[in-house]
Amino acid sequence: MRAVSAVERFYAGFGRATTFQLTPGVCPVELDVLLAERGYYRHTPMSLWAASVGDVRARARSSGAETRLTESPTGAWFDVWRAVHGDGGGCRPEWEMLARVERPSAYVGVLDGDELVAVGRAVVDGGWAGVFGMATLPRARGRGAAREVLRSLADWASDLGAEGMYLQVDGGNSPALRLYESMGFSEVCRYHYRSEVLS
């Protein structure tokens, strides 16, 4: 209870709602119950998936679309990501966060003509490639663009000696879950968040 109160004071110092990520095997089960009793609402069910780089590469079928891979994000890469996931605010915090990543990174974009329509990024660390920032513009969905992003990231990760890949996905995003399963990923665990209601 004291630890929860300390976290609440920390968040209050920034004027933000206290939020906990509750992951099985990391957080005690009683924490979820305690937070529920304190009025914290449950939200954002997430799923952690993993695959071997070899499986992803073996299952990748190229659509023939052109891909572009860079070691740092570009404005066009960010435009696609923000079109899908952005909240309408400025992107400076995201740029600054990515600039702090020191491990080898790749930013992939899939082109439709001269325009990027799908993006994703990966970071290699300790033999694993973490996949982040997957986003496909609505008009390009269902045409293999996300598959191309994963194929390109898997090839890049393999070149750096990574043997595994992992990613997190919204537990309710059925199209994404089907894609990842078809690419050799399987679920490792589920987790969720609880946040306090500010009055």
Side-chain angles (χ1 to χ4, degrees):
M1 182 63 129
R2 274 190 307 211
V4 171
S5 297
V7 173
E8 289 173 340
R9 287 193 299 274
F10 174 81
Y11 273 85
F14 292 95
R16 305 293 299 263
T18 306
T19 299
F20 289 85
Q21 177 182 314
L22 297 155
T23 305
V26 177
C27 299
V29 175
E30 54 268 23
L31 178 60
D32 199 22
V33 174
L34 172 66
L35 294 174
E37 290 172 350
R38 289 172 70 91
Y40 279 68
Y41 69 96
R42 180 180 174 136
H43 61 96
T44 320
M46 299 295 291
S47 182
L48 174 65
W49 289 59
S52 74
V53 169
D55 280 351
V56 175
R57 295 181 76 200
R59 293 176 181 230
R61 298 183 308 275
S62 177
S63 67
E66 183 182 350
T67 59
R68 181 180 297 158
L69 188 149
T70 60
E71 294 181 356
S72 57
T74 64
W77 189 97
F78 250 116
D79 287 346
V80 174
W81 184 86
R82 289 179 58 74
V84 176
H85 299 293
D87 59 7
C91 62
R92 183 175 176 183
E94 286 89 356
W95 279 102
E96 291 175 349
M97 183 271 295
L98 295 178
R100 291 193 297 270
V101 177
E102 297 179 352
R103 304 303 301 168
S105 301
Y107 295 80
V108 169
V110 175
L111 291 146
D112 181 8
D114 295 329
E115 181 185 5
L116 287 184
V117 295
V119 297
R121 71 181 181 96
V123 178
V124 166
D125 189 12
W128 285 87
V131 177
F132 309 97
M134 294 289 291
T136 304
L137 296 178
R139 67 178 179 79
R141 291 176 185 161
R143 294 166 32 197
R147 187 177 297 275
E148 287 288 353
V149 170
L150 287 171
R151 180 188 61 76
S152 185
L153 291 174
D155 287 345
W156 170 82
S158 177
D159 289 344
L160 270 66
E163 296 182 355
M165 299 177 76
Y166 68 89
L167 52 82
Q168 294 124 2
V169 58
D170 182 331
N173 188 342
S174 297
L177 296 175
R178 286 193 298 271
L179 166 68
Y180 299 140
E181 185 173 24
S182 75
M183 294 289 285
F185 287 84
S186 58
E187 187 176 69
V188 176
C189 71
R190 296 185 180 204
Y191 62 95
H192 62 276
Y193 295 84
R194 281 196 183 273
S195 295
E196 68 177 334
V197 179
L198 293 180
S199 55

